[in-house]
Amino acid sequence: METNVTKRRDNKKALRVKVISLGDAEVGKSCIIKRYCEKRFVPKYLATIGIDYGVTKVQVRDREIKVNIFDMAGHPFFYEVRNEFYKDSQGVVLVYDVGARDSFQALDGWLGEMKQEMGSQANMDTIVFIVCANKVDLTKRRVVDEGEGRLWAESRGFHYFETSAQSGEGVSDMFQAFFSAITDMCENGGRRPAVPEVSVGFTKEQADTVRRIRNSKDSWDMLGVKPGAAREEVNKAYRKLAVLLHPDKCVAPGSEDAFKAVVNARTSLLKNIK
Ligand code: GTP
Ligand code: MG
């Protein structure tokens, strides 16, 4: 008996993905996308009006990916236009300007706006987030350092890249890592591959504590006790923080400085408590 042997095609089907850009106005979202897709930089600021849409094709391993890019306007005025576009995204490029602290502090607000539109945290967990610390070419005006940015991103399980749309630094590497993580996620049944605590080597509690210490207004606040607290209370709070942040145990960026700051805060408070 004769058999017809048909050659099986091993090519995987092309993936279609939707990605969006988020972040304050003027941080460089459109320029980063333009640098990647058109290999050029436009120094003049042309605010995005509502949304810009573009399509690009990329290759990740043996897979062709068709990427639909929705570049959002950062200005609050466009909220009504933006909020239609959050749903069904597989990836988010979250951008801030390293020379504008406000734009870094606004990242939580952007996540909040998105979560509100997505309906729940569970829906956010099936999206790949990549944080771009942009405009690193402007070294003299930089106010948010790498440790701080990386800490914010990695403690949430997000990827972190330093980029300059002006020079191109980091932009291709960032998009490559981004599309590769999205492909992994799609091939993993829509679950975001676990990044956080195991691979970054520190816990969210440690990361949050470092950030809280950095932003504390005085020594009482740093130790998390009320002004005028008793000696024993100060020591108790100190011991808790020391265990959490001790350099032998904690590798969260900035933890060494935070640990030293806590030691100094305790010393100065105890000097003044009878
Ligand atoms: P909206 O569309 O209003 O939300 O702003 P955006 O985030 O898309 O900003 P855009 O990409 O339009 O860039 C804002 C300004 O920053 C422009 O004048 C850009 O030329 C400039 N810019 C963007 N990226 C960089 C960068 O990496 N380095 C420098 N030096 N300037 C940049
Ligand atoms: Mg724009």
Side-chain angles (χ1 to χ4, degrees):
M1 201 172 88
E2 270 192 10
T3 50
N4 277 331
V5 181
T6 46
K7 223 180 173 185
R8 240 190 86 219
R9 292 181 67 210
D10 279 336
N11 285 350
K12 289 183 182 162
K13 246 175 79 181
L15 263 185
R16 258 174 198 284
V17 302
K18 172 184 172 183
V19 303
I20 60 176
S21 65
L22 280 190
D24 277 5
E26 264 188 83
V27 294
K29 300 179 293 298
S30 303
C31 284
I32 290 172
I33 294 167
K34 196 162 266 149
R35 163 62 71 188
Y36 180 69
C37 295
E38 301 173 23
K39 312 270 176 282
R40 66 193 180 101
F41 174 69
V42 184
K44 189 165 179 278
Y45 174 43
L46 293 164
T48 303
I49 307 297
I51 300 280
D52 270 344
Y53 170 70
V55 190
T56 188
K57 275 187 196 165
V58 295
Q59 188 76 26
V60 176
R61 301 184 290 271
D62 58 346
R63 201 105 198 227
E64 187 182 82
I65 320 287
K66 288 184 181 157
V67 189
N68 294 283
I69 305 178
F70 292 80
D71 176 25
M72 308 269 214
H75 198 283
F77 180 77
F78 295 110
Y79 168 69
E80 294 291 337
V81 184
R82 271 197 311 267
N83 66 9
E84 301 280 319
F85 291 89
Y86 283 116
K87 294 226 164 74
D88 305 319
S89 307
Q90 280 81 35
V92 176
V93 183
L94 208 46
V95 185
Y96 69 92
D97 172 353
V98 295
R101 180 161 287 279
D102 287 0
S103 72
F104 174 60
Q105 284 163 343
L107 295 180
D108 283 310
W110 283 105
L111 286 183
E113 181 176 306
M114 178 164 189
K115 190 171 156 192
Q116 200 175 350
E117 295 310 317
M118 300 298 292
S120 73
Q121 182 60 41
N123 293 338
M124 301 282 278
D125 292 341
T126 56
I127 297 169
V128 171
F129 286 85
I130 204 150
V131 175
C132 291
N134 192 42
K135 306 199 189 182
V136 293
D137 55 290
L138 301 172
T139 46
K140 284 199 181 125
R141 67 185 273 285
R142 182 163 190 164
V143 290
V144 184
D145 66 23
E146 180 177 351
E148 217 175 334
R150 191 176 280 284
L151 179 59
W152 188 90
E154 294 184 351
S155 63
R156 286 167 175 75
F158 301 169
H159 304 254
Y160 172 88
F161 277 83
E162 304 234 308
T163 58
S164 164
Q166 194 254 17
S167 69
E169 181 187 336
V171 174
S172 296
D173 289 349
M174 181 276 289
F175 275 110
Q176 219 166 353
F178 185 47
F179 296 137
S180 164
I182 292 175
T183 308
D184 289 347
M185 185 186 70
C186 293
E187 291 179 348
N188 192 20
R191 298 299 303 170
R192 186 163 74 202
V195 192
E197 299 173 1
V198 180
S199 71
V200 296
F202 53 88
T203 66
K204 184 165 186 309
E205 187 189 9
Q206 288 171 324
D208 288 345
T209 305
V210 170
R211 194 166 35 252
R212 191 187 63 69
I213 285 168
R214 272 198 177 134
N215 295 330
S216 57
K217 53 180 193 295
D218 55 30
S219 300
W220 302 108
D221 189 31
M222 186 177 287
L223 288 181
V225 294
K226 287 208 183 94
R231 204 177 181 82
E232 187 41 43
E233 226 181 308
V234 169
N235 276 329
K236 200 171 148 200
Y238 164 77
R239 278 195 296 272
K240 201 170 155 217
L241 288 170
V243 168
L244 194 66
L245 298 175
H246 195 282
D248 289 351
K249 299 214 181 75
C250 181
V251 296
S255 58
E256 207 172 317
D257 286 345
F259 180 74
K260 281 184 204 150
V262 166
V263 172
N264 291 338
R266 172 191 177 236
T267 310
S268 80
L269 289 181
L270 291 186
K271 254 191 220 156
N272 298 314
I273 299 175
K274 292 192 187 101

